[in-house]
Amino acid sequence: MSRPLPRSNQRKLNHQNPSLLSKTPTLDLILSTTSYTLSLLSTLVSPSPSHPNSLLSHYASLHLRLSNLSSLLSSTRITLRLFSLPSIYVWAHSEYQKWARPPHHPSTPPRTTDDTNIIINSITLTQIVAGFTFQILENLAYLGDNNILPLNTQTRAKFWRWCCRAWALHVFLDIAKLLRQRHLDNTRPEVKDATKQSESANGGQDIAEREARWWREFKINLAYAPMTLHYSLENGVMSDRLVALCGVLASTWGLKGAWKKTAAVE
């Protein structure tokens, strides 16, 4: 962490940006945006006493179809994530290389000033643990729901809640990391000097892109934050419509960022 694209728009999307649909994280964003938009639409057409009696059955049928399609896309996303543990391991290994090897070791990735900050390092380490916890518990709960693992209803519900709590931890840590990075950018003399040099050399373009990326990531996490709390609690705290709206906002901002990133590479 939307309505399906018409066929003409699908062809246009593939023609203009063929690699956008070839990357699993971007595919997840497309499925997420589509799923949450369908869910939002289903809440808007949900049958209510204000609807004419002659149209109630039509509203009920449309609500059910939209909900079912949204659930199908959501299940597709979870199915794709069944194979995400290796990518989390790669992330963990990459961070380990940054922390454990000497800065001038030939196989050490280039370090940024953020890589040497103990607070950001600690946040990242905790996020890695949260990522492994989330993915393992989600896999167990999902396989149990599909009668692949012999888990009773109570155990599956517990796994779902705790995997969502791991997701919540990751999201709130992301917000903390972004705020910490903003604080460091505003207080470190070397960053201020580099910012001035970059701004004068590129007409402020690099600074504008960095600022836009920071705000995009911050808004995405702010949209996901209430959702993670909702799913972490047994009875939730939000309506289905509000959950779907938050999902649409987060997914749309994420997809917009992925589109810009892919277009820049190409």
Side-chain angles (χ1 to χ4, degrees):
M1 113 252 6
S2 343
R3 68 178 184 277
L5 290 165
R7 292 186 181 276
S8 59
N9 286 350
Q10 288 179 344
R11 289 194 295 269
K12 182 179 179 181
L13 180 66
N14 280 295
H15 173 71
Q16 289 186 341
N17 215 329
S19 69
L20 187 69
L21 289 173
S22 67
K23 299 180 180 179
T24 301
T26 306
L27 175 60
D28 180 75
L29 286 170
I30 293 173
L31 292 173
S32 175
T33 306
T34 306
S35 175
Y36 282 123
T37 301
L38 289 170
S39 180
L40 180 61
L41 290 175
S42 74
T43 66
L44 297 176
V45 299
S46 179
S48 71
S50 62
H51 294 146
N53 291 334
S54 59
L55 296 178
L56 279 178
S57 61
H58 296 288
Y59 277 103
S61 175
L62 182 58
H63 169 75
L64 180 61
R65 293 174 188 276
L66 291 173
S67 298
N68 287 344
L69 182 54
S70 175
S71 297
L72 175 63
L73 295 180
S74 180
S75 295
T76 301
R77 294 179 63 212
I78 299 176
T79 301
L80 291 173
R81 285 201 301 267
L82 285 171
F83 309 96
S84 291
L85 282 173
S87 64
I88 300 175
Y89 168 78
V90 171
W91 174 33
H93 183 68
S94 174
E95 293 299 328
Y96 170 78
Q97 287 184 317
K98 292 178 184 178
W99 304 330
R101 294 185 178 179
H104 303 294
H105 192 280
S107 62
T108 301
R111 290 188 177 180
T112 66
T113 48
D114 289 343
D115 294 333
T116 58
N117 185 273
I118 189 171
I119 295 179
I120 289 182
N121 285 345
S122 300
I123 290 174
T124 302
L125 176 61
T126 309
Q127 286 184 304
I128 290 172
V129 175
F132 275 117
T133 302
F134 165 84
Q135 199 55 64
I136 291 171
L137 291 178
E138 184 186 64
N139 288 357
L140 292 173
Y142 186 60
L143 293 175
D145 282 352
N146 286 276
N147 299 316
I148 297 171
L149 294 179
L151 301 175
N152 59 45
T153 303
Q154 184 178 6
T155 300
R156 297 199 306 272
K158 184 185 297 184
F159 283 170
W160 279 121
R161 281 198 303 274
W162 278 103
C163 91
C164 289
R165 288 166 185 171
W167 176 30
L169 177 60
H170 189 282
V171 167
F172 281 95
L173 286 174
D174 236 10
I175 293 174
K177 183 191 289 186
L178 287 166
L179 293 175
R180 178 61 178 173
Q181 288 171 339
R182 174 54 60 94
H183 172 74
L184 293 175
D185 288 349
N186 291 334
T187 57
R188 291 179 301 192
E190 65 274 16
V191 173
K192 289 185 177 181
D193 293 340
T195 298
K196 291 179 181 179
Q197 293 175 4
S198 176
E199 189 171 12
S200 60
N202 299 285
Q205 183 177 355
D206 290 348
I207 307 304
E209 290 177 356
R210 178 182 174 89
E211 186 75 6
R213 184 169 59 252
W214 188 93
W215 276 109
R216 184 168 56 249
E217 293 177 4
F218 190 67
K219 289 187 295 184
I220 289 171
N221 282 290
L222 284 184
Y224 275 136
M227 293 174 59
T228 64
L229 293 178
H230 170 78
Y231 287 121
S232 296
L233 301 174
E234 187 171 357
N235 298 317
V237 293
M238 298 166 62
S239 67
D240 291 342
R241 183 174 300 178
L242 188 55
V243 169
L245 178 60
C246 288
V248 168
L249 291 174
S251 302
T252 303
W253 285 325
L255 187 58
K256 182 180 178 181
W259 179 280
K260 287 185 175 181
K261 184 177 179 180
T262 306
V265 171
E266 296 179 353

